[in-house]
Amino acid sequence: MKTIILSGVLLSASLAAHSSTWSLADNFSYSRNPDGQWSYGWSETLGGKFKIDTIFEATLYNTAGGSATGWRGDAYLSEGDYYPLVMRYSGDAGKDVSVLDGYAANGAGSGEVVIRQRSGGIVMHPAPNAYAVARWTAPVAGTYFISAAFYDAGGHATTDVHVARNDVLLFNGKVNGAGSTQAWNSADKGIALAAGDTIDAIVGNGGNGYASDSTGVDLVIRNTNFAH
């Protein structure tokens, strides 16, 4: 019996040492950018030069059920708010977090819910002249399995959404209003990446202005042969 248990422990340890998963939502950093494999930023053009967000915002919105905090670019300034945004919504597990009308700095506002996202979820928002970008960088060469999803978070998003490898587009889609979702994955064979290759989740304004363009984003990357 002892031998069987020991073998099971060794097997589990071996599997853990040779696999890893990275999640934009689960690995989100509130303190550093970049942090580990993740960077939060923006680009002036689709597939253009990646620029790191340098502003962290902890009290931007009035919220209910939790908080919406994260990283802001400096491509565009409106009512004291810099865009684009990469934000994480935090609250009780399994519950929604709502952003209410009005900025926290300006008072309570009307209380109307303008964005709703599950606790632990990511919302990205473009600028009039810039794309919001969440970037992951491969730590080692290997085969990686990538899944991405983009969806409306406020009932009115009309955004163009993309996945890129080293600034070359792998996927293009459009989120168009309530209930709209776009999804992409690298399929069963995965994608061979070199160390330092990048995978970007990108949200643009759809070419029709950036108002109400809050877009939920899931990005998960897995490598079953990664050794820590």
Side-chain angles (χ1 to χ4, degrees), residues 100-119:
L100 309 179
D101 173 63
Y103 295 113
N106 298 336
S110 69
E112 176 188 1
V113 175
V114 294
I115 307 169
R116 181 177 283 113
Q117 171 64 299
R118 69 183 186 279
S119 176

